[in-house]
Amino acid sequence: MDDKITKITDWLGAGSINLFGRPFSGKDTQCRELAKIVGGELIAGGDILRSHHDSEQVEKIMATGGIIPSEAYENMVIPYFSRPAFTAKPLILSAVGRSHGEEPIIMKAAEASAHPMKAVIVLQLEEDEVWKRFEAALLEHDRGHRADDHRNVLQTRLHTYQDKTIPAIEFYRHRGLLIEIQGTGSRESVTAEILDALYTRASS
């Protein structure tokens, strides 16, 4: 395993890996684990939006379902990726640029900040499995009080994933960056599959 991780980290360098997945796919968990394994910095889309000098206005736009203009989004992303704290470190992105049309901005920001995009991982989880995990989480009360843990909110998130995120994922597929991982296994087995896939990519 140590040799595998060394191979991955040598290949990755200060590059970026972006992870996508439907709600309850375990994306955030895998992002944290991968960042720990490769010694990278974890970035979520919300971190970037909150960093903007007019973050309150940005939140209002998002709350009403509006779309941040591409130029404004680019002006947020590139400086954030270029933060001195990230210098020479790999970046693990938690579905950053999840709406179709934002992919070129993310690619540009990654390249401009010396964190080139090396891979995009999607954790595949069908909608019926999402709902099963949702119901189980409600029974187990293991996620705390999250605003998105309501059926109507989850349904909206699933529609948004289908309409906006899947086209974004296809953008990366066409550029040979996409790695598809089944998200139905245990947390440990999914992590192992991700590492196997990255090792294969690093060895090619």
Side-chain angles (χ1 to χ4, degrees):
M1 179 62 75
D2 288 344
D3 289 342
K4 180 181 293 186
I5 292 173
T6 297
K7 181 78 172 182
I8 292 169
T9 54
D10 287 347
W11 161 79
L12 179 57
S16 299
I17 297 176
N18 209 348
L19 278 81
F20 293 91
R22 285 186 171 89
F24 290 90
S25 64
K27 170 178 57 62
D28 293 337
T29 297
Q30 296 301 329
C31 281
R32 287 191 295 270
E33 186 65 19
L34 188 56
K36 182 172 67 175
I37 289 170
V38 302
E41 295 285 342
L42 174 59
I43 298 176
D47 298 334
I48 298 171
L49 299 180
R50 285 188 291 271
S51 73
H52 194 250
H53 69 277
D54 196 7
S55 59
E56 185 175 339
Q57 182 62 29
V58 169
E59 288 180 7
K60 287 181 181 178
I61 293 173
M62 299 298 290
T64 58
I67 297 175
I68 300 171
S70 294
E71 183 177 353
Y73 188 64
E74 184 173 327
N75 289 338
M76 297 179 207
V77 175
I78 292 180
Y80 195 90
F81 276 36
S82 300
R83 287 186 166 194
F86 300 158
T87 301
K89 294 182 180 180
L91 302 182
I92 306 302
L93 312 179
S94 180
V96 175
R98 68 182 67 192
S99 293
H100 183 44
E102 295 176 347
E103 318 93 280
I105 296 172
I106 302 306
M107 293 284 285
K108 180 180 178 180
E111 194 69 36
S113 61
H115 300 288
M117 192 70 66
K118 303 299 289 286
V120 173
I121 297 169
V122 57
L123 302 180
Q124 298 287 15
L125 194 70
E126 297 302 323
E127 286 198 20
D128 60 345
E129 183 62 26
V130 171
W131 287 107
K132 288 179 184 177
R133 292 187 178 190
F134 170 80
E135 297 293 345
L138 290 183
L139 292 174
E140 295 170 8
H141 303 289
D142 63 349
R143 284 163 59 93
H145 297 287
R146 290 180 48 156
D148 55 356
D149 283 348
H150 297 281
R151 287 176 176 79
N152 61 326
V153 176
L154 179 56
Q155 188 64 66
T156 298
R157 292 177 66 201
L158 288 170
H159 283 315
T160 299
Y161 186 88
Q162 182 70 34
D163 294 342
K164 296 183 179 181
T165 304
I166 287 182
I169 291 170
E170 290 304 308
F171 171 95
Y172 294 115
R173 185 193 304 278
H174 293 319
R175 281 153 183 78
L177 291 168
L178 192 66
I179 295 173
E180 297 183 81
I181 301 291
Q182 287 299 317
T184 52
S186 67
R187 178 178 60 187
E188 293 79 11
S189 66
V190 172
T191 300
E193 286 186 45
I194 290 173
L195 292 177
D196 285 345
L198 290 175
Y199 179 77
T200 298
R201 183 68 58 95
S203 302
S204 61

